[in-house]
Short mmCIF file of all heavy atoms in Angstrom, two decimals:
data_model
loop_
_atom_site.label_atom_id
_atom_site.label_comp_id
_atom_site.label_asym_id
_atom_site.label_seq_id
_atom_site.Cartn_x
_atom_site.Cartn_y
_atom_site.Cartn_z
N MET A 648 198.52 151.36 114.82
CA MET A 648 197.54 152.45 114.74
C MET A 648 197.85 153.34 113.55
O MET A 648 199.00 153.69 113.32
CB MET A 648 197.58 153.26 116.04
CG MET A 648 196.37 154.15 116.22
SD MET A 648 196.54 155.19 117.70
CE MET A 648 197.27 156.65 116.99
N VAL A 649 196.82 153.68 112.83
CA VAL A 649 196.99 154.55 111.68
C VAL A 649 197.11 156.00 112.15
O VAL A 649 196.30 156.48 112.94
CB VAL A 649 195.78 154.43 110.72
CG1 VAL A 649 195.95 155.37 109.54
CG2 VAL A 649 195.63 153.00 110.25
N LYS A 650 198.13 156.64 111.66
CA LYS A 650 198.30 158.04 112.03
C LYS A 650 197.66 158.94 110.99
O LYS A 650 197.67 158.64 109.80
CB LYS A 650 199.79 158.39 112.14
CG LYS A 650 200.38 157.87 113.43
CD LYS A 650 201.80 158.38 113.58
CE LYS A 650 202.38 157.92 114.92
NZ LYS A 650 203.80 158.23 115.03
N ARG A 651 197.11 160.02 111.47
CA ARG A 651 196.43 160.95 110.60
C ARG A 651 197.00 162.35 110.80
O ARG A 651 197.53 162.65 111.87
CB ARG A 651 194.94 160.97 110.90
CG ARG A 651 194.25 159.63 110.70
CD ARG A 651 192.80 159.71 111.14
NE ARG A 651 192.11 158.44 110.94
CZ ARG A 651 192.10 157.46 111.83
NH1 ARG A 651 192.73 157.59 112.97
NH2 ARG A 651 191.47 156.34 111.58
N ALA A 652 196.82 163.15 109.78
CA ALA A 652 197.27 164.54 109.89
C ALA A 652 196.19 165.46 109.36
O ALA A 652 195.49 165.14 108.39
CB ALA A 652 198.56 164.74 109.09
N CYS A 653 196.05 166.60 110.01
CA CYS A 653 195.08 167.61 109.57
C CYS A 653 195.60 168.30 108.31
O CYS A 653 196.75 168.72 108.26
CB CYS A 653 194.88 168.63 110.68
SG CYS A 653 193.83 170.00 110.20
N LYS A 654 194.75 168.40 107.31
CA LYS A 654 195.17 169.04 106.06
C LYS A 654 195.27 170.55 106.21
O LYS A 654 195.93 171.22 105.42
CB LYS A 654 194.18 168.71 104.94
CG LYS A 654 194.38 167.32 104.36
CD LYS A 654 193.47 167.13 103.15
CE LYS A 654 193.75 165.79 102.48
NZ LYS A 654 192.86 165.60 101.32
N ASP A 655 194.59 171.08 107.19
CA ASP A 655 194.58 172.54 107.37
C ASP A 655 195.79 173.03 108.16
O ASP A 655 196.48 173.94 107.73
CB ASP A 655 193.28 172.97 108.05
CG ASP A 655 192.08 172.74 107.15
OD1 ASP A 655 192.27 172.72 105.92
OD2 ASP A 655 190.98 172.56 107.66
N CYS A 656 196.04 172.41 109.31
CA CYS A 656 197.13 172.90 110.16
C CYS A 656 198.31 171.94 110.23
O CYS A 656 199.30 172.24 110.89
CB CYS A 656 196.61 173.23 111.56
SG CYS A 656 196.10 171.77 112.51
N LYS A 657 198.18 170.76 109.60
CA LYS A 657 199.25 169.76 109.53
C LYS A 657 199.53 169.06 110.85
O LYS A 657 200.49 168.29 110.97
CB LYS A 657 200.56 170.37 108.98
CG LYS A 657 200.44 170.91 107.58
CD LYS A 657 201.80 171.36 107.09
CE LYS A 657 201.78 171.78 105.64
NZ LYS A 657 201.05 173.02 105.43
N ARG A 658 198.73 169.28 111.84
CA ARG A 658 198.94 168.64 113.13
C ARG A 658 198.70 167.13 113.04
O ARG A 658 197.76 166.70 112.38
CB ARG A 658 197.99 169.25 114.16
CG ARG A 658 198.16 168.72 115.58
CD ARG A 658 197.18 169.39 116.52
NE ARG A 658 197.63 170.73 116.88
CZ ARG A 658 198.40 170.98 117.96
NH1 ARG A 658 198.76 170.02 118.76
NH2 ARG A 658 198.77 172.21 118.22
N ILE A 659 199.54 166.34 113.70
CA ILE A 659 199.34 164.90 113.76
C ILE A 659 198.23 164.60 114.78
O ILE A 659 198.26 165.11 115.90
CB ILE A 659 200.64 164.17 114.18
CG1 ILE A 659 201.78 164.51 113.22
CG2 ILE A 659 200.42 162.67 114.26
CD1 ILE A 659 201.60 164.02 111.80
N LEU A 660 197.29 163.76 114.36
CA LEU A 660 196.10 163.53 115.17
C LEU A 660 196.02 162.10 115.66
O LEU A 660 196.55 161.18 115.03
CB LEU A 660 194.85 163.81 114.33
CG LEU A 660 194.77 165.15 113.62
CD1 LEU A 660 193.61 165.11 112.65
CD2 LEU A 660 194.62 166.27 114.60
N LYS A 661 195.35 161.91 116.78
CA LYS A 661 195.04 160.57 117.24
C LYS A 661 193.64 160.18 116.81
O LYS A 661 193.37 159.04 116.52
CB LYS A 661 195.15 160.51 118.76
CG LYS A 661 196.59 160.53 119.22
CD LYS A 661 196.67 160.63 120.73
CE LYS A 661 198.13 160.76 121.18
NZ LYS A 661 198.24 161.29 122.54
N GLY A 662 192.72 161.13 116.79
CA GLY A 662 191.34 160.84 116.42
C GLY A 662 191.08 161.11 114.95
O GLY A 662 191.99 161.14 114.13
N THR A 663 189.82 161.34 114.63
CA THR A 663 189.44 161.55 113.24
C THR A 663 189.03 163.00 112.97
O THR A 663 188.62 163.33 111.87
CB THR A 663 188.28 160.61 112.84
OG1 THR A 663 187.22 160.77 113.78
CG2 THR A 663 188.72 159.17 112.83
N THR A 664 189.12 163.83 113.99
CA THR A 664 188.88 165.26 113.78
C THR A 664 190.01 166.05 114.42
O THR A 664 190.59 165.63 115.41
CB THR A 664 187.54 165.72 114.39
OG1 THR A 664 187.51 165.36 115.77
CG2 THR A 664 186.35 165.10 113.68
N CYS A 665 190.29 167.21 113.86
CA CYS A 665 191.35 168.05 114.39
C CYS A 665 190.82 168.86 115.58
O CYS A 665 189.83 169.56 115.45
CB CYS A 665 191.86 168.99 113.30
SG CYS A 665 193.12 170.12 113.90
N PRO A 666 191.50 168.75 116.74
CA PRO A 666 191.03 169.49 117.91
C PRO A 666 191.24 171.00 117.78
O PRO A 666 190.62 171.78 118.51
CB PRO A 666 191.87 168.91 119.06
CG PRO A 666 193.09 168.38 118.40
CD PRO A 666 192.67 167.93 117.03
N VAL A 667 192.11 171.38 116.89
CA VAL A 667 192.41 172.81 116.72
C VAL A 667 191.46 173.43 115.70
O VAL A 667 190.83 174.46 115.95
CB VAL A 667 193.87 173.01 116.28
CG1 VAL A 667 194.17 174.48 116.06
CG2 VAL A 667 194.81 172.42 117.32
N CYS A 668 191.34 172.81 114.54
CA CYS A 668 190.52 173.36 113.45
C CYS A 668 189.06 172.94 113.55
O CYS A 668 188.22 173.49 112.86
CB CYS A 668 191.06 172.91 112.10
SG CYS A 668 192.80 173.24 111.85
N LYS A 669 188.78 171.93 114.37
CA LYS A 669 187.42 171.36 114.47
C LYS A 669 186.94 170.86 113.11
O LYS A 669 185.76 170.95 112.79
CB LYS A 669 186.42 172.40 115.01
CG LYS A 669 186.89 173.15 116.23
CD LYS A 669 186.91 172.28 117.45
CE LYS A 669 187.29 173.12 118.68
NZ LYS A 669 187.75 172.28 119.80
N THR A 670 187.89 170.33 112.35
CA THR A 670 187.55 169.86 111.03
C THR A 670 187.83 168.37 110.90
O THR A 670 188.66 167.83 111.65
CB THR A 670 188.36 170.61 109.95
OG1 THR A 670 188.05 170.06 108.68
CG2 THR A 670 189.85 170.48 110.17
N SER A 671 187.16 167.73 109.98
CA SER A 671 187.49 166.34 109.67
C SER A 671 188.23 166.26 108.35
O SER A 671 188.28 165.22 107.71
CB SER A 671 186.22 165.48 109.63
OG SER A 671 185.30 166.03 108.72
N ASN A 672 188.81 167.38 107.96
CA ASN A 672 189.60 167.46 106.73
C ASN A 672 191.00 166.92 107.02
O ASN A 672 191.96 167.66 107.16
CB ASN A 672 189.67 168.92 106.27
CG ASN A 672 190.36 169.05 104.92
OD1 ASN A 672 190.43 168.09 104.15
ND2 ASN A 672 190.87 170.24 104.63
N ILE A 673 191.06 165.58 107.14
CA ILE A 673 192.32 164.95 107.53
C ILE A 673 192.75 163.92 106.51
O ILE A 673 191.96 163.50 105.65
CB ILE A 673 192.19 164.27 108.91
CG1 ILE A 673 191.08 163.23 108.88
CG2 ILE A 673 191.97 165.31 110.00
CD1 ILE A 673 191.03 162.38 110.12
N THR A 674 194.00 163.50 106.60
CA THR A 674 194.54 162.54 105.66
C THR A 674 195.40 161.52 106.39
O THR A 674 195.96 161.83 107.44
CB THR A 674 195.37 163.24 104.57
OG1 THR A 674 195.87 162.25 103.69
CG2 THR A 674 196.53 164.02 105.16
N THR A 675 195.48 160.32 105.84
CA THR A 675 196.38 159.31 106.40
C THR A 675 197.66 159.25 105.58
O THR A 675 198.60 158.56 105.96
CB THR A 675 195.72 157.92 106.41
OG1 THR A 675 195.25 157.61 105.11
CG2 THR A 675 194.56 157.88 107.39
N SER A 676 197.69 159.95 104.45
CA SER A 676 198.89 159.94 103.62
C SER A 676 199.62 161.27 103.76
O SER A 676 199.28 162.26 103.10
CB SER A 676 198.52 159.68 102.16
OG SER A 676 197.67 160.69 101.69
N PHE A 677 200.58 161.28 104.65
CA PHE A 677 201.41 162.46 104.81
C PHE A 677 202.85 162.02 104.92
O PHE A 677 203.14 160.86 105.16
CB PHE A 677 200.98 163.25 106.06
CG PHE A 677 201.08 162.47 107.34
CD1 PHE A 677 202.25 162.47 108.07
CD2 PHE A 677 200.01 161.75 107.81
CE1 PHE A 677 202.35 161.75 109.24
CE2 PHE A 677 200.09 161.02 108.99
CZ PHE A 677 201.27 161.02 109.70
N GLN A 678 203.74 162.96 104.69
CA GLN A 678 205.16 162.62 104.68
C GLN A 678 205.91 163.40 105.75
O GLN A 678 205.79 164.62 105.83
CB GLN A 678 205.77 162.94 103.31
CG GLN A 678 205.27 162.01 102.23
CD GLN A 678 205.83 162.38 100.87
OE1 GLN A 678 206.52 163.37 100.73
NE2 GLN A 678 205.51 161.58 99.87
N GLY A 679 206.66 162.67 106.55
CA GLY A 679 207.54 163.30 107.52
C GLY A 679 206.80 163.82 108.73
O GLY A 679 205.65 164.22 108.64
N VAL A 680 207.46 163.76 109.85
CA VAL A 680 206.89 164.30 111.08
C VAL A 680 207.91 165.23 111.71
O VAL A 680 209.09 164.91 111.77
CB VAL A 680 206.53 163.16 112.07
CG1 VAL A 680 206.06 163.73 113.39
CG2 VAL A 680 205.44 162.28 111.47
N ILE A 681 207.44 166.37 112.14
CA ILE A 681 208.32 167.31 112.81
C ILE A 681 207.68 167.68 114.16
O ILE A 681 206.47 167.82 114.26
CB ILE A 681 208.56 168.56 111.93
CG1 ILE A 681 209.64 169.44 112.55
CG2 ILE A 681 207.28 169.35 111.69
CD1 ILE A 681 210.15 170.50 111.58
N VAL A 682 208.52 167.74 115.17
CA VAL A 682 208.03 168.13 116.49
C VAL A 682 208.45 169.56 116.76
O VAL A 682 209.64 169.89 116.73
CB VAL A 682 208.57 167.20 117.59
CG1 VAL A 682 208.03 167.62 118.96
CG2 VAL A 682 208.19 165.75 117.30
N ILE A 683 207.47 170.40 116.98
CA ILE A 683 207.73 171.81 117.24
C ILE A 683 207.65 172.09 118.74
O ILE A 683 206.62 171.85 119.36
CB ILE A 683 206.72 172.70 116.48
CG1 ILE A 683 206.83 172.50 114.97
CG2 ILE A 683 206.91 174.18 116.85
CD1 ILE A 683 208.13 172.94 114.35
N PHE A 684 208.75 172.55 119.29
CA PHE A 684 208.76 172.96 120.70
C PHE A 684 208.65 174.48 120.81
O PHE A 684 208.05 175.00 121.73
CB PHE A 684 210.05 172.49 121.39
CG PHE A 684 210.19 171.00 121.45
CD1 PHE A 684 211.08 170.34 120.64
CD2 PHE A 684 209.41 170.26 122.32
CE1 PHE A 684 211.22 168.97 120.70
CE2 PHE A 684 209.53 168.88 122.39
CZ PHE A 684 210.44 168.23 121.57
N ASP A 685 209.29 175.14 119.86
CA ASP A 685 209.38 176.59 119.92
C ASP A 685 208.70 177.19 118.69
O ASP A 685 209.18 177.05 117.57
CB ASP A 685 210.86 177.01 119.95
CG ASP A 685 211.03 178.51 120.02
OD1 ASP A 685 210.02 179.23 120.17
OD2 ASP A 685 212.18 178.96 119.91
N VAL A 686 207.55 177.82 118.89
CA VAL A 686 206.80 178.37 117.76
C VAL A 686 207.46 179.62 117.19
O VAL A 686 207.04 180.12 116.14
CB VAL A 686 205.33 178.68 118.15
CG1 VAL A 686 204.58 177.41 118.47
CG2 VAL A 686 205.26 179.66 119.30
N GLU A 687 208.48 180.13 117.88
CA GLU A 687 209.20 181.29 117.36
C GLU A 687 210.36 180.88 116.46
O GLU A 687 211.07 181.73 115.92
CB GLU A 687 209.73 182.14 118.53
CG GLU A 687 208.64 182.75 119.39
CD GLU A 687 207.74 183.68 118.61
OE1 GLU A 687 208.25 184.45 117.79
OE2 GLU A 687 206.51 183.63 118.82
N SER A 688 210.57 179.57 116.32
CA SER A 688 211.68 179.10 115.49
C SER A 688 211.38 179.32 114.01
O SER A 688 210.23 179.47 113.61
CB SER A 688 211.96 177.62 115.76
OG SER A 688 210.88 176.83 115.28
N ASP A 689 212.46 179.33 113.22
CA ASP A 689 212.31 179.55 111.77
C ASP A 689 211.45 178.47 111.13
O ASP A 689 210.65 178.75 110.25
CB ASP A 689 213.68 179.58 111.10
CG ASP A 689 214.47 180.83 111.48
OD1 ASP A 689 213.85 181.79 111.96
OD2 ASP A 689 215.69 180.84 111.28
N VAL A 690 211.63 177.23 111.58
CA VAL A 690 210.88 176.11 111.01
C VAL A 690 209.38 176.29 111.26
O VAL A 690 208.57 176.12 110.37
CB VAL A 690 211.37 174.78 111.61
CG1 VAL A 690 210.57 173.62 111.02
CG2 VAL A 690 212.84 174.58 111.34
N ALA A 691 209.04 176.63 112.49
CA ALA A 691 207.64 176.82 112.84
C ALA A 691 207.02 177.96 112.03
O ALA A 691 205.91 177.84 111.53
CB ALA A 691 207.50 177.09 114.33
N LYS A 692 207.77 179.03 111.89
CA LYS A 692 207.27 180.16 111.12
C LYS A 692 207.08 179.81 109.65
O LYS A 692 206.11 180.21 109.01
CB LYS A 692 208.23 181.35 111.26
CG LYS A 692 208.09 182.04 112.60
CD LYS A 692 209.08 183.17 112.73
CE LYS A 692 208.94 183.85 114.08
NZ LYS A 692 210.00 184.84 114.32
N LYS A 693 208.02 179.03 109.12
CA LYS A 693 207.96 178.62 107.72
C LYS A 693 206.73 177.76 107.46
O LYS A 693 206.08 177.86 106.42
CB LYS A 693 209.24 177.85 107.37
CG LYS A 693 209.50 177.72 105.89
CD LYS A 693 210.84 177.05 105.66
CE LYS A 693 211.03 176.75 104.17
NZ LYS A 693 212.28 176.00 103.94
N LEU A 694 206.41 176.90 108.44
CA LEU A 694 205.27 176.00 108.28
C LEU A 694 203.97 176.66 108.75
O LEU A 694 202.90 176.08 108.62
CB LEU A 694 205.52 174.71 109.07
CG LEU A 694 206.66 173.83 108.55
CD1 LEU A 694 206.93 172.69 109.51
CD2 LEU A 694 206.35 173.27 107.16
N GLY A 695 204.07 177.84 109.33
CA GLY A 695 202.88 178.53 109.79
C GLY A 695 202.29 177.92 111.04
O GLY A 695 201.08 177.95 111.26
N ILE A 696 203.14 177.34 111.88
CA ILE A 696 202.69 176.66 113.09
C ILE A 696 202.64 177.64 114.26
O ILE A 696 203.58 178.40 114.48
CB ILE A 696 203.61 175.47 113.40
CG1 ILE A 696 203.37 174.37 112.36
CG2 ILE A 696 203.37 174.94 114.81
CD1 ILE A 696 204.42 173.29 112.36
N THR A 697 201.52 177.63 114.97
CA THR A 697 201.33 178.59 116.05
C THR A 697 201.22 177.94 117.42
O THR A 697 201.06 178.63 118.41
CB THR A 697 200.05 179.42 115.78
OG1 THR A 697 198.96 178.54 115.61
CG2 THR A 697 200.21 180.27 114.54
N ALA A 698 201.26 176.61 117.47
CA ALA A 698 201.19 175.91 118.75
C ALA A 698 202.18 174.76 118.75
O ALA A 698 202.36 174.09 117.72
CB ALA A 698 199.79 175.39 119.00
N PRO A 699 202.85 174.49 119.87
CA PRO A 699 203.79 173.38 119.94
C PRO A 699 203.08 172.05 119.72
O PRO A 699 201.90 171.90 120.05
CB PRO A 699 204.34 173.46 121.37
CG PRO A 699 204.03 174.82 121.84
CD PRO A 699 202.77 175.24 121.13
N GLY A 700 203.80 171.07 119.16
CA GLY A 700 203.20 169.76 118.95
C GLY A 700 203.86 169.05 117.80
O GLY A 700 204.88 169.47 117.27
N LYS A 701 203.23 167.94 117.39
CA LYS A 701 203.74 167.14 116.28
C LYS A 701 203.01 167.52 115.01
O LYS A 701 201.78 167.61 114.99
CB LYS A 701 203.47 165.66 116.56
CG LYS A 701 204.60 164.91 117.19
CD LYS A 701 204.23 163.43 117.23
CE LYS A 701 205.35 162.60 117.83
NZ LYS A 701 204.96 161.18 117.89
N TYR A 702 203.78 167.70 113.94
CA TYR A 702 203.17 168.10 112.68
C TYR A 702 203.74 167.29 111.53
O TYR A 702 204.90 166.86 111.58
CB TYR A 702 203.44 169.58 112.42
CG TYR A 702 202.73 170.48 113.40
CD1 TYR A 702 203.31 170.81 114.62
CD2 TYR A 702 201.46 171.00 113.12
CE1 TYR A 702 202.65 171.61 115.54
CE2 TYR A 702 200.81 171.79 114.02
CZ TYR A 702 201.40 172.10 115.23
OH TYR A 702 200.75 172.89 116.13
N ALA A 703 202.93 167.12 110.51
CA ALA A 703 203.40 166.50 109.28
C ALA A 703 204.13 167.57 108.45
O ALA A 703 203.74 168.73 108.46
CB ALA A 703 202.23 165.94 108.48
N ILE A 704 205.18 167.16 107.77
CA ILE A 704 205.91 168.11 106.95
C ILE A 704 205.16 168.36 105.63
O ILE A 704 205.06 169.47 105.17
CB ILE A 704 207.34 167.60 106.68
CG1 ILE A 704 208.13 167.58 107.98
CG2 ILE A 704 208.05 168.46 105.64
CD1 ILE A 704 209.45 166.86 107.90
N LYS A 705 204.62 167.28 105.08
CA LYS A 705 203.90 167.42 103.82
C LYS A 705 202.60 166.61 103.88
O LYS A 705 202.63 165.43 104.20
CB LYS A 705 204.77 166.90 102.68
CG LYS A 705 204.26 167.24 101.30
CD LYS A 705 205.23 166.71 100.27
CE LYS A 705 204.69 166.92 98.87
NZ LYS A 705 205.52 166.25 97.86
N VAL A 706 201.49 167.24 103.60
CA VAL A 706 200.20 166.54 103.60
C VAL A 706 199.57 166.60 102.23
O VAL A 706 199.91 167.45 101.43
CB VAL A 706 199.19 167.11 104.64
CG1 VAL A 706 199.67 166.81 106.05
CG2 VAL A 706 198.97 168.59 104.44
ZN1 LIG B 857 193.94 171.27 112.09
#
């Protein structure tokens, strides 16, 4: 299965639209995956992540 990532919020997606942004501004070429459990962590803040989940590091 081809993995996709939202270009706006960097969330890893299963479908072709982002459930958070409601956008189809997605890409199949992204680098690295990070799993965020704690949105208060330094990593989450650095990436601007506001909800737990899987995210691409670079899109
Ligand atoms: Zn998004």
Side-chain angles (χ1 to χ4, degrees):
M648 196 185 92
V649 178
K650 283 187 177 172
R651 299 175 179 87
C653 174
K654 281 187 175 179
D655 293 334
C656 68
K657 298 186 174 69
R658 183 180 282 269
I659 303 295
L660 308 169
K661 286 174 184 161
T663 53
T664 55
C665 177
V667 178
C668 307
K669 313 288 185 198
T670 176
S671 55
N672 186 22
I673 58 171
T674 180
T675 53
S676 60
F677 60 89
Q678 291 177 355
V680 174
I681 188 167
V682 180
I683 298 295
F684 296 106
D685 180 7
V686 294
E687 296 299 319
S688 68
D689 290 342
V690 179
K692 284 178 180 172
K693 197 175 173 185
L694 294 172
I696 290 167
T697 55
K701 265 187 178 178
Y702 293 87
I704 293 169
K705 192 178 175 188
V706 291

